[in-house]
Amino acid sequence: MQPLIRAEGLTKIVQSGDEPLSILENVTFDVEPGAAVAIVGASGSGKTTLLGLLAGLDRPTAGDVVIDGTTLSSLSEDARAALRARLLGFVFQSFQLLPALTALENVMLPLELANAADATTRARTWLDRVGLGKRTGHYPRQLSGGEQQRVAIARAFVGEPKLLMADEPTGNLDGATGVEIAELMFRLNREHGTTLVLVTHDVNLASRCVRRLSLSAGRLVGDERANATVPA
Amino acid sequence: MSTLRLALRLLGRDWRAGELRVLIAALVLAVASVGTVGFFADRVKLGLSEQANLLLGADLMISGDRPLPDAYATEAQRRGLAVSPVIRFNSMVQMAAPNANAPVLADVKAVAPGYPLRGAITLPDAELPEGRPVAGIPNRGEVWIDTRLAQRLGAALGAKIAVGEATFAVGAIFLQEPEIAGLSFALGPKLLLNRDDIAATNLLQPGNRATWRLLVAERSGRALEGYREWLTLQLAAGQRVETVRDLRPEVRQTLERAEKFLGLAALVAVLLAAVAVALAASRYLRRHLDAAAMLRCFGASVAKTLVLFVTQFVVLGALACVAGLIVALAGQELLVVLLSSAFTGGLPAPTWPPGLAAFITGMLLLFGFALPPLVALAKVPPLRVLRRDLPRPRVGGALAYLAGILVIGVLIAWQAREAQAGAIMVGGVALLVVASTAIARLLIALLKRLPQRGVSWRFGLANLRRRALASSLQIGALALGLMALLLLTVVRGDLMRNWRATLPPDAPNQFLINVLPDQVDDARTILNTSLKADTTFRPMVRGRLVEVNGQKLDTTRYADTRARRLAEREFNLSWTDKLPNGNRIVSGTFWLASARGSDAGISLEDGIAQTLGVKLGDALTFDVGGNRVTAKVTSLRKVDWDSFRVNFFALFPPGSLDDMPTTYIAAFRAPDGNGGWLSSLIQKYPNILAIDVGEILRQVQAIMERVARAIEFVFLFTLAGGLLVLQAAIASTQDERRYDAAVLRTLGASQRQLRGAQIAEFLLLGAIAGLVAAAGATAIGYVLADRVFNIPFTSNPMLWLYGIGGGAIAVTIAGWLGTRSTLRQPPLAILRQFG
């Protein structure tokens, strides 16, 4: 089976003062369709940078990412955005909802960006599915953290993406709410056969994934599958 | 490290990062606008003071509309004062036959040896822009003409010029001679001749409005005050004493009014700059909280932190104010050039006091509006380094800006100099801003009802709504600047056109005055043959109002200078058997066509009756060359002065003014450019004066154009202020915009969609500002037309197009320049920064 994501020798070096600082070094792995992959590691190990590179939100210094057969380095900024609009959904630690838009408008946004015809109906359906059908007209500041993350999850799924990327989705939530949100995310993931790439240092959350990639100081130091451990 | 060095270092870093651009621009703008007007007004005032004692050509001038008694001169000479008599009048002059061309109305002065007693007549000199002084006066048989007259006549040195019945050779062409009009708008071209030649011209006919003057100057010692006191007791009606002191208030008043207006226009720019400073300073506060917390964390006291930031601002302010002064020096020079033809003679160089005032304005503004955020910054809790979610220190709302509001109040009071004018101006500007802001807020609320199609459009609208107050304020500020420009360009043009449209196409464009009774028939024939026009000649008698109801008229009881002037002047009296066209009786009754003699009364113009405090039934006594005529006011008339017909303040029935020295006046329409009729008329009757109203209209218009351009120039500062507020507001929302852009990019938005959203926002912002500006300009245009100029108002649909279109385009360009960088950074970096 062709992998949905292929990371090849991903390296990110930034200039820190006079010294080049290596954030990611030669990271290579594949993700097959339908898999749930957790990227784990200590703070500063390069997890979020890796996720950003996979999503084409930043450019690697060396190496390449291939998503669904498309090589990201061959694409312009706009073409990468178009690819994201077509294939990707996002859930962030800090929700990243636009404060000027209502819950409904936030969920409609990806559909509108893709010029989808029935944006309102579909967005409403998804808000219903995350349990916020009655709060469509509320602005983010009028919602609790858990509710904001539900809106973000609805926004991530509304475009029916092949791939969902989540960056510490429960990191800003209290324990109970975090569990609830994780539950919702995994359920929707299962129902829609979405491929999930999850960055977390929450062990419980990571253990719900079939595969865990461990990063340490920018290197891939472990690739653990639910049934076997393969050294990187 | 010393605090100063640390402060300079921090400042340098902020400078490099472009954090201070708006703040600097706001200060430069404020100093530049106040400085431009300040320098300009100061130079004009200095020029006036320097020239003031030269303006009269004397220390004191007695003038009268009849020859002055010899005693005035002999008494002055007895007291050791220098004297020189002058007769001044208007006359048509032209090249003598056989080179006769179109006659030109000139300002003629007959002078005697010694003229001028102060200042000098100057000849043009390539080396000296102010001219080369020349001694002496025209010899007999010679005239000196100024460069303008030489040009109009095409006369060179030695050319023969006809003045009245005499012919003279041009002995000199001069640049300037001492004259009251030295610094005001230039009057007619000038001609000087020797006083002994005046009889030969035969121009001093009874109806000619000549002024007899006696120039008096101190030789040494202090005889002038004594003479002046003696003179005051001697003065008869129609005689005036003018000294530099008397003269200056009038000229100065005009200039001060102009200065005040320009100053207040500049102040509007300062007000907008203040808003920009406040916005920029609060952004500075937000962006330096971490740095301040860090300093506190490392042990800096609140006081030391404050000193550190204040030092930076002092240095920054001083640099920006100096830059503003440089702009101001260039700007005032441009004002001088724009208005140059209004000033005969050069202006002195700029001096430093207005510069200092502008500098202080800039610094006060900076500290009035930047100090509250700085104090808040210094008080940031050090714990912030650990807990980013600690509430931000509050600036303390409107109360903290009390200093700034006080500064603005002081600036306005200083510019306006009068409490009332200042209050009106402040009130007006405040009202405009509040009204514009309120309307903008309403319109933004209405935007919700617009169809919300397309993500760019929706997002643009959402941005406007989210920052409703800030958006409204930006719209208010922009609308103010746009409105000022619309008023000066479109509305002014409309008003001028409408005013001209109220003149009938056959309105007279030529006046003939000073026609003697025995010349009337012939003059009428000449006009009828050459212009095919039937011209009515109206009689005119000059008389002075001497008594009201048998009481000697005491002109000093008029507090109003205009009323006093009117009462002291000679009136043009006329007679008629029926009410002239364009006149309407408002009270009393007009006499019957058969009425004869002064028993039937006087019909007085309503306006002058009010000014002089004369009522229906009052008996007025006029002195006409020593003869007295008394009659009761039997009717009051409204006169349509704009019709350019011949009209009189006081009308008598036929028979009242018989045997009085009479001249005739006629108004008629002549085709432009053909002076043939005039040439033949003046050659035959040199005493007749022709006044080309079209020419006067054109001159007035040209002066208005120049003044308007100067005002437009100052209002450009206002528009710049509006755009600056926009820039400051954009800068203060830059972080939000970057965040929004990053999220949208993550969700797959293209550059085009992001740009579309920003452009939608700015288009709407600019269009609303333009709409408010057009509405305001229309309203003010209506008030001006209806209340000030009394002309019908027609609204101009183009005004709305210019306002809305111009506003939308200007704001979109300015906004786009300010925000395009938000689209460039990779989204991940921004999201992590905010996450």
Side-chain angles (χ1 to χ4, degrees):
Chain A
M1 191 160 42
Q2 197 199 358
L4 186 62
I5 303 175
R6 161 163 286 164
E8 282 173 354
L10 280 183
T11 301
K12 180 72 180 177
I13 298 170
V14 295
Q15 209 63 29
S16 166
D18 295 335
E19 293 287 302
L21 177 69
S22 181
I23 299 177
L24 277 184
E25 269 180 59
N26 199 20
V27 174
T28 302
F29 62 90
D30 285 350
V31 177
E32 55 275 22
V37 181
I39 300 172
V40 295
S43 272
S45 59
K47 301 187 298 287
T48 303
T49 303
L50 178 59
L51 191 74
L53 290 176
L54 293 179
L57 293 175
D58 203 357
R59 285 172 181 273
T61 313
D64 215 334
V65 177
V66 181
I67 291 185
D68 202 24
T70 310
T71 309
L72 291 191
S73 66
S74 68
L75 301 180
S76 69
E77 187 76 41
D78 267 356
R80 291 205 302 273
L83 180 94
R84 282 197 293 273
R86 193 157 48 82
L87 294 176
L88 263 68
F90 277 96
V91 178
F92 299 97
Q93 176 176 7
S94 46
F95 326 133
Q96 313 279 30
L97 298 176
L98 293 184
L101 304 184
T102 61
L104 181 67
E105 287 168 342
N106 264 294
V107 178
M108 283 164 68
L109 208 51
L111 296 176
E112 287 183 314
L113 289 172
N115 283 321
D118 47 354
T120 319
T121 329
R122 282 165 69 185
R124 256 182 223 291
T125 313
W126 273 98
L127 278 172
D128 262 343
R129 295 187 67 174
V130 299
L132 288 174
K134 294 209 161 46
R135 316 214 42 189
T136 55
H138 286 68
Y139 286 92
R141 63 172 184 281
Q142 297 166 317
L143 301 171
S144 72
E147 286 167 335
Q148 288 190 49
Q149 197 62 303
R150 281 168 191 270
V151 175
I153 289 171
R155 181 178 68 179
F157 278 100
V158 74
E160 286 158 15
K162 279 191 175 176
L163 180 59
L164 181 69
M165 296 200 173
D167 182 14
E168 304 276 15
T170 57
N172 270 8
L173 303 172
D174 62 65
T177 314
V179 170
E180 216 176 284
I181 289 295
E183 194 57 50
L184 175 69
M185 204 171 65
F186 280 104
R187 178 166 59 82
L188 293 174
N189 194 45
R190 264 195 319 274
E191 287 172 12
H192 290 266
T194 317
T195 307
L196 175 68
V197 178
L198 174 73
V199 164
T200 186
H201 53 244
D202 177 341
V203 183
N204 284 330
L205 201 58
S207 66
R208 298 185 64 159
C209 296
V210 292
R211 188 175 169 200
R212 286 182 293 279
L213 297 170
S214 306
L215 284 181
S216 173
R219 292 166 182 278
L220 190 60
V221 293
D223 185 350
E224 204 181 332
R225 295 189 186 251
N227 46 3
T229 304
V230 186
Chain B
M1 198 185 324
S2 80
T3 308
L4 180 64
R5 267 173 53 203
L6 179 59
L8 287 180
R9 244 189 206 199
L10 292 174
L11 184 65
R13 269 174 221 159
D14 280 346
W15 179 285
R16 269 203 313 278
E19 295 276 310
L20 304 168
R21 246 175 259 152
V22 171
L23 202 58
I24 292 170
L27 286 176
V28 170
L29 176 75
V31 175
S33 57
V34 170
T36 298
V37 174
F39 277 129
F40 175 71
D42 187 60
R43 282 179 73 182
V44 172
K45 238 187 279 177
L46 275 181
L48 187 68
S49 305
E50 274 181 19
Q51 289 196 10
N53 52 342
L54 306 180
L55 290 179
L56 287 174
D59 294 339
L60 177 149
M61 180 172 87
I62 310 156
S63 59
D65 38 27
R66 302 278 158 74
L68 300 168
D70 290 339
Y72 290 1
T74 48
E75 177 65 19
Q77 280 163 327
R78 196 187 63 74
R79 289 170 182 256
L81 294 163
V83 292
S84 179
V86 175
I87 307 169
R88 202 214 135 265
F89 57 92
N90 289 315
S91 175
M92 305 302 288
V93 300
Q94 67 185 131
M95 299 292 277
N99 300 322
N101 52 3
V104 174
L105 184 65
D107 178 350
V108 178
K109 268 193 210 168
V111 298
Y115 180 87
L117 298 177
R118 289 279 183 265
I121 301 167
T122 56
L123 301 183
D125 190 314
E127 306 274 299
L128 303 166
E130 70 277 13
R132 176 165 48 86
V134 64
I137 61 160
N139 295 319
R140 292 212 48 182
E142 197 179 87
V143 289
W144 291 5
I145 59 177
D146 73 354
T147 45
R148 285 180 300 162
L149 186 56
Q151 197 210 338
R152 294 273 297 273
L153 288 174
L157 278 180
K160 300 281 187 216
I161 288 182
V163 182
E165 292 172 10
T167 299
F168 299 90
V170 175
I173 295 174
F174 63 87
L175 191 63
Q176 222 190 332
E177 58 111 28
E179 167 66 61
I180 294 172
L183 251 178
S184 62
F185 291 102
L187 300 172
K190 291 175 190 167
L191 181 143
L192 293 181
L193 56 80
N194 195 298
R195 197 165 180 264
D196 295 337
D197 280 335
I198 202 77
T201 65
N202 200 22
L203 283 172
L204 292 186
Q205 301 289 337
N208 197 334
R209 291 204 150 189
T211 310
W212 278 262
R213 293 173 173 172
L214 184 68
L215 303 184
V216 183
E218 198 89 69
R219 274 188 221 277
S220 57
R222 315 203 134 269
L224 198 67
E225 265 320 297
Y227 177 67
R228 194 187 150 105
E229 274 165 32
W230 172 83
L231 195 63
T232 323
L233 303 173
Q234 314 294 317
L235 284 183
Q239 294 173 355
R240 281 191 311 278
V241 175
E242 281 171 300
T243 63
V244 169
R245 219 173 20 193
D246 301 323
L247 172 73
R248 260 153 59 178
E250 192 180 309
V251 182
R252 194 156 267 190
Q253 205 181 9
T254 312
L255 282 166
E256 269 172 10
R257 215 168 282 155
E259 182 202 343
K260 217 179 281 171
F261 186 72
L262 288 176
L264 289 172
L267 206 56
V268 177
V270 174
L271 285 178
L272 294 177
V275 176
V277 168
L279 283 172
S282 80
R283 174 174 194 244
Y284 184 90
L285 164 72
R286 282 202 305 279
R287 298 187 63 113
H288 287 74
L289 280 175
D290 290 338
M294 204 67 82
L295 286 169
R296 295 289 315 281
C297 191
F298 292 159
S301 64
V302 171
K304 175 156 177 148
T305 314
L306 187 60
V307 166
L308 198 60
F309 283 109
V310 168
T311 310
Q312 289 185 58
F313 270 58
V314 170
V315 175
L316 169 83
L319 290 176
C321 289
V322 168
L325 282 181
I326 293 169
V327 177
L329 281 172
Q332 58 89 27
E333 199 57 50
L334 192 63
L335 266 188
V336 172
V337 171
L338 282 176
L339 290 170
S340 61
S341 35
F343 302 103
T344 50
L347 289 175
T351 57
W352 58 268
L356 185 69
F359 189 90
I360 291 172
T361 302
M363 292 306 267
L364 281 179
L365 206 60
L366 178 61
F367 282 96
F369 287 91
L371 209 52
L374 288 188
V375 172
L377 196 53
K379 286 186 179 159
V380 65
L383 187 61
R384 193 183 153 85
V385 294
L386 297 178
R387 300 262 320 269
R388 290 291 303 275
D389 52 345
L390 276 182
R392 269 183 204 149
R394 299 283 303 171
V395 170
L399 201 63
Y401 286 107
L402 201 64
I405 291 161
L406 270 177
V407 165
I408 291 290
V410 168
L411 284 177
I412 288 172
W414 170 62
Q415 278 292 349
R417 303 232 163 81
E418 287 165 27
Q420 200 195 356
I424 289 173
M425 182 73 186
V426 180
V429 170
L431 198 72
L432 274 176
V433 172
V434 170
S436 309
T437 307
I439 294 170
R441 190 110 204 218
L442 193 73
L443 287 173
I444 288 172
L446 287 177
L447 286 180
K448 259 190 181 161
R449 305 190 175 243
L450 282 180
Q452 311 268 317
R453 302 200 78 81
V455 68
S456 296
W457 183 245
R458 172 205 299 284
F459 200 68
L461 291 194
N463 261 341
L464 271 182
R465 268 191 282 133
R466 163 160 49 150
R467 296 182 273 265
L469 183 64
S471 299
S472 313
L473 192 67
Q474 291 170 54
I475 289 171
L478 282 166
L480 200 62
L482 281 171
M483 184 160 45
L485 285 181
L486 283 178
L487 266 177
L488 281 165
T489 51
V490 184
V491 174
R492 175 169 54 94
D494 287 351
L495 289 179
M496 290 293 286
R497 260 191 301 283
N498 286 354
W499 177 60
R500 249 174 276 150
T502 59
L503 298 178
D506 59 344
N509 60 355
Q510 296 281 346
F511 280 82
L512 279 193
I513 60 172
N514 214 27
V515 183
L516 298 177
D518 56 354
Q519 298 169 339
V520 169
D521 287 341
D522 196 24
R524 186 184 288 130
T525 314
I526 292 175
L527 292 180
N528 287 359
T529 28
S530 53
L531 295 174
K532 309 271 178 291
D534 187 23
T535 313
T536 314
F537 283 76
R538 310 281 308 275
M540 187 168 104
V541 171
R542 300 182 68 205
R544 188 174 305 112
L545 181 64
V546 286
E547 283 177 9
V548 176
N549 293 330
Q551 299 284 310
K552 192 170 178 296
L553 184 70
D554 178 14
T555 57
T556 55
R557 76 192 174 97
Y558 294 113
D560 181 21
T561 44
R562 191 179 101 88
R564 194 179 304 169
R565 277 277 146 98
L566 274 171
E568 283 171 352
R569 235 183 47 180
E570 287 199 318
F571 278 83
N572 289 327
L573 314 174
S574 187
W575 67 83
T576 180
D577 53 358
K578 61 179 199 296
L579 189 66
N581 284 338
N583 284 233
R584 186 163 52 86
I585 298 294
V586 289
S587 60
T589 45
F590 201 73
W591 48 79
L592 299 171
S594 56
R596 290 288 178 275
S598 49
D599 287 347
I602 305 176
S603 177
L604 206 59
E605 196 261 340
D606 183 51
I608 200 163
Q610 277 178 22
T611 310
L612 296 179
V614 174
K615 299 177 302 297
L616 209 61
D618 283 350
L620 305 184
T621 305
F622 289 93
D623 179 321
V624 181
N627 300 317
R628 296 178 148 233
V629 194
T630 303
K632 281 192 174 164
V633 178
T634 52
S635 64
L636 295 177
R637 287 170 295 132
K638 276 251 188 268
V639 172
D640 178 13
W641 294 106
D642 287 341
S643 67
F644 278 90
R645 291 194 192 89
V646 175
N647 275 304
F648 296 93
F649 282 133
L651 280 176
F652 285 79
S656 326
L657 301 170
D658 291 355
D659 311 322
M660 309 267 179
T662 304
T663 61
Y664 281 77
I665 174 169
F668 55 93
R669 184 155 191 94
D672 284 336
N674 181 6
W677 57 273
L678 184 59
S679 216
S680 46
L681 195 66
I682 301 297
Q683 256 162 27
K684 202 159 177 191
Y685 303 117
N687 60 293
I688 294 178
L689 298 181
I691 298 168
D692 185 342
V693 184
E695 181 61 30
I696 293 174
L697 271 184
R698 275 188 291 279
Q699 277 179 17
V700 169
Q701 227 164 298
I703 291 170
M704 280 180 65
E705 290 295 323
R706 282 198 300 264
V707 172
R709 227 174 300 147
I711 296 171
E712 258 165 47
F713 173 67
V714 174
F715 269 122
L716 277 181
F717 284 119
T718 312
L719 186 69
L723 286 173
L724 200 62
V725 171
L726 176 75
Q727 285 287 333
I730 288 171
S732 71
T733 55
Q734 193 97 330
D735 294 340
E736 286 172 51
R737 287 173 194 280
R738 282 171 59 211
Y739 172 77
D740 290 351
V743 173
L744 284 166
R745 287 293 283 283
T746 307
L747 295 176
S750 67
Q751 291 260 14
R752 202 172 52 77
Q753 285 172 316
L754 291 180
R755 210 180 301 135
Q758 294 192 339
I759 288 177
E761 178 184 349
F762 292 126
L763 273 177
L764 273 172
L765 195 74
I768 295 176
L771 181 74
V772 173
T778 304
I780 294 174
Y782 172 76
V783 172
L784 285 177
D786 194 58
R787 297 287 150 82
V788 183
F789 298 115
N790 279 320
I791 54 174
F793 176 77
T794 48
S795 90
N796 183 348
M798 293 307 282
L799 186 74
W800 301 88
L801 188 72
Y802 292 142
I804 297 172
I809 292 168
V811 171
T812 304
I813 292 172
W816 169 240
L817 290 177
T819 53
R820 90 207 123 118
S821 66
T822 55
L823 303 184
R824 287 212 193 113
Q825 284 140 313
L828 184 65
I830 296 163
L831 290 180
R832 293 188 86 159
Q833 188 182 332
F834 289 97

